[in-house]
Amino acid sequence: MDTPYNMTLQEKFKEMQAKGAALLATNFYNYETLRGVLEAASALQQPIILQLTRSSIDYMTLPVAVKMARAALQEHRVEGWLHLDHGDSYELAAQCLDAGFDSVMIDASEKPINENIAVTQRVVALAKQYNANVEAELGYVAKLGQSKDKLGFTEPDEARYFVQETGIDALAVAIGSAHGFYTEEPKLDLERLSQIQAVTDVALVLHGGSGIAGTMLQEAIQRGICKINLATEIKNIFMYQLKADLLKSDEIDLRKVFPPAIKAVTNLVKEKLEIVKNELISK
């Protein structure tokens, strides 16, 4: 699906690769978090990727989530794309593509590489009919509830083979990041990232962007990361602000309760966009 700005995400990624820049990809969970994200993007006039997981789709329903995202992008006059984050099946990817997503991720990273390749190939073939972007993952990036001690970094030679066999547009790499909060400061294997960039020509994606220092994110961008995912910090700051305000008030009007939490999300996303924006300007 073309965006209101008539550029596919694949084309935008190529532009980012040429500039040595990256896009921020933010998950949203309801109208309030969506608004908070887009107010930040609009204020800084920065493009953004809006992401939905299966659980968020189940919560909002697919038609409502898509229409809300599209309407909000238009209202805030933001260049943006709608992406399925961590799609766990061909069937879900197909539903999202049919509903108008610009991009889908098929995450079979926990399966043997041959199975990962097989299902990814099917999604890539389907997505071509929609002119949509496809992201896949190779290696172990700990999900919520999974051990962050397990090692399973992306191997450059496997990445090259995987990209060649699947024809994907974007590859999420395991270089030391994880989903959720970090118990200690994360250290990305940036040399490994450079090696992966050297043998692949696709957009490289960093999952688990919450909690990683801005300087490290910027260095990762310099070494080929074109998409940085942000989710946990959005949920956390929204709920932290909301709970803090509710403890001090008996207000029951949701239209008065939610705005401070929306503003907190906006401020967070502005900070993250400045990291990407500064990197873009420095190029």
Side-chain angles (χ1 to χ4, degrees):
M1 293 289 292
D2 285 349
T3 72
Y5 287 77
N6 202 36
M7 181 180 283
T8 67
L9 186 53
Q10 304 95 293
E11 292 168 338
K12 193 67 176 182
F13 277 146
K14 292 299 181 184
E15 179 184 301
M16 295 293 102
Q17 286 177 288
K19 294 179 177 178
L23 296 172
L24 186 66
T26 59
N27 288 53
F28 71 96
Y29 309 92
N30 54 11
Y31 167 73
E32 287 73 26
T33 49
L34 173 62
R35 178 177 168 183
V37 167
L38 290 180
E39 286 187 355
S42 178
L44 297 181
Q45 296 185 316
Q46 290 291 293
I48 202 154
I49 299 171
L50 299 174
Q51 301 194 144
L52 289 163
T53 59
R54 176 185 284 276
S55 56
S56 293
I57 290 170
D58 288 344
Y59 175 67
M60 288 181 276
T61 75
L62 189 57
V64 170
V66 172
K67 290 175 182 176
M68 187 164 62
R70 293 294 183 205
L73 283 168
Q74 291 281 2
E75 176 68 21
H76 289 86
R77 301 183 64 80
V78 169
E79 182 183 17
W81 300 265
L82 186 58
H83 172 73
L84 170 64
D85 187 27
H86 287 290
D88 55 12
S89 70
Y90 173 89
E91 290 73 21
L92 178 59
Q95 291 170 11
C96 290
L97 288 168
D98 199 45
F101 278 54
D102 304 292
S103 175
V104 293
M105 178 187 186
I106 178 66
D107 182 5
S109 58
E110 295 184 28
K111 298 182 182 296
I113 189 169
N114 289 340
E115 292 183 32
N116 192 351
I117 288 172
V119 67
T120 302
Q121 286 174 333
R122 291 185 65 207
V123 173
V124 168
L126 178 64
K128 285 181 179 178
Q129 301 175 33
Y130 297 84
N131 197 23
N133 181 81
V134 177
E135 176 184 330
E137 184 172 304
L138 188 63
Y140 178 80
V141 181
K143 298 179 175 64
L144 292 176
Q146 292 182 327
S147 172
K148 294 180 174 63
D149 297 326
K150 179 181 174 181
L151 295 179
F153 286 3
T154 305
E155 295 294 337
D157 287 343
E158 280 195 351
R160 176 175 56 190
Y161 175 70
F162 186 85
V163 169
Q164 289 174 345
E165 290 296 306
T166 59
I168 54 172
D169 305 290
L171 177 66
V173 294
I175 57 170
S177 62
H179 299 91
F181 290 113
Y182 295 95
T183 54
E184 58 185 40
E185 185 177 351
K187 296 179 181 179
L188 302 182
D189 189 341
L190 296 170
E191 181 56 36
R192 180 183 298 269
L193 175 59
S194 293
Q195 293 170 1
I196 296 169
Q197 181 195 30
V199 297
T200 60
D201 61 354
V202 296
L204 300 180
V205 180
L206 183 68
H207 283 234
S210 294
I212 297 178
T215 53
M216 187 169 291
L217 291 176
Q218 288 185 333
E219 188 168 353
I221 294 170
Q222 293 172 6
R223 293 173 183 252
I225 291 295
C226 290
K227 174 175 177 273
I228 296 173
N229 283 20
L230 179 71
T232 300
E233 282 187 271
I234 291 175
K235 288 187 291 187
N236 179 67
I237 202 162
F238 182 86
M239 291 304 299
Y240 181 87
Q241 183 66 53
L242 184 61
K243 287 188 283 189
D245 289 342
L246 289 175
L247 287 174
K248 298 180 294 184
S249 171
D250 293 326
E251 180 62 66
I252 64 168
D253 190 334
L254 302 182
R255 296 162 297 184
K256 296 179 181 178
V257 168
F258 283 137
I262 294 172
K263 183 65 173 177
V265 171
T266 297
N267 291 338
L268 168 70
V269 176
K270 278 183 177 179
E271 292 176 7
K272 302 298 182 177
L273 283 171
E274 286 288 356
I275 294 170
V276 177
K277 179 183 177 184
N278 289 339
E279 186 63 22
L280 177 59
I281 290 172
S282 73
K283 295 294 180 180

